[in-house]
Amino acid sequence: MKSTIRHRAAALGIAGVAGLAGIGLAGGPAMADGAALADSSSQTASSDAGTQSVHYPTDPAVYADELVRAWGNDNTDRVEAFASADVVDKINAHSDDNVTHWDRTRVGGAAGTTYVDYVNTVTGEQMTLGLPTEAVHNGGEWGEPNAVHSIRFEG
């Protein structure tokens, strides 16, 4: 009986060690690849810095949020990077009071355009941003610049 327990304990011990070794083998190269990938992506990002200095999200809601956040931070360059000239003009003409209080309320789409709705939590005013779904969600790694092509304020 004692030898059976010892054999089972030994078998479990060997299985445990083999399992840990397997994790080490699987994790080792994967971690090294991840580090190499991080190095290559940082090199790619730095080499592309001159050609594209703003990251344009491929999710329309996130793209619109970036524009609203840039507006709230008074980052004119970033606002101009995310919006068309017409939208920039309308943003500049709009009051900057309570500009940091916009919350996204809805995302919808129609006829190839994604509409992202916001409400100002202080004033109750509503804003809708429109952007071409295909230009942002284009299957690539980056969305396109100046994609927000319409803005409407109500209230």
Side-chain angles (χ1 to χ4, degrees), residues 92-109:
N92 289 335
H94 194 271
S95 170
D96 283 350
D97 296 339
N98 304 307
V99 72
T100 60
H101 296 279
W102 292 102
D103 284 347
R104 181 170 16 115
T105 58
R106 189 182 78 80
V107 178

Side-chain angles (χ1 to χ4, degrees), residues 11-38:
L12 286 173
I14 291 170
V17 169
L20 289 174
I23 290 171
L25 290 174
M31 285 189 235
D33 287 346
L37 182 61

Side-chain angles (χ1 to χ4, degrees), residues 3-145:
S3 64
T4 304
I5 293 172
R6 278 190 223 138
H7 289 308
R8 287 186 182 166
L12 286 173
I14 291 170
V17 169
L20 289 174
I23 290 171
L25 290 174
M31 285 189 235
D33 287 346
L37 182 61
D39 287 343
S40 69
S41 64
S42 65
Q43 290 171 354
T44 303
S46 64
S47 65
D48 290 343
T51 58
Q52 186 164 359
S53 60
V54 176
H55 173 75
Y56 299 99
T58 57
D59 179 283
V62 173
Y63 195 107
D65 288 351
E66 285 295 319
L67 172 61
V68 172
R69 197 171 296 115
W71 181 29
N73 289 325
D74 197 28
N75 188 336
T76 304
D77 291 339
R78 196 155 170 88
V79 168
E80 291 173 354
F82 279 87
S84 69
D86 183 51
V87 171
V88 171
D89 290 343
K90 289 178 182 175
I91 285 174
N92 289 335
H94 194 271
S95 170
D96 283 350
D97 296 339
N98 304 307
V99 72
T100 60
H101 296 279
W102 292 102
D103 284 347
R104 181 170 16 115
T105 58
R106 189 182 78 80
V107 178
T113 299
T114 299
Y115 295 98
V116 186
D117 297 334
Y118 298 86
V119 65
N120 190 298
T121 58
V122 174
T123 65
E125 182 179 24
Q126 296 179 4
M127 173 177 64
T128 300
L129 300 176
L131 52 161
T133 306
E134 187 176 316
V136 176
H137 190 64
N138 57 22
E141 189 175 331
W142 302 87
E144 296 179 13

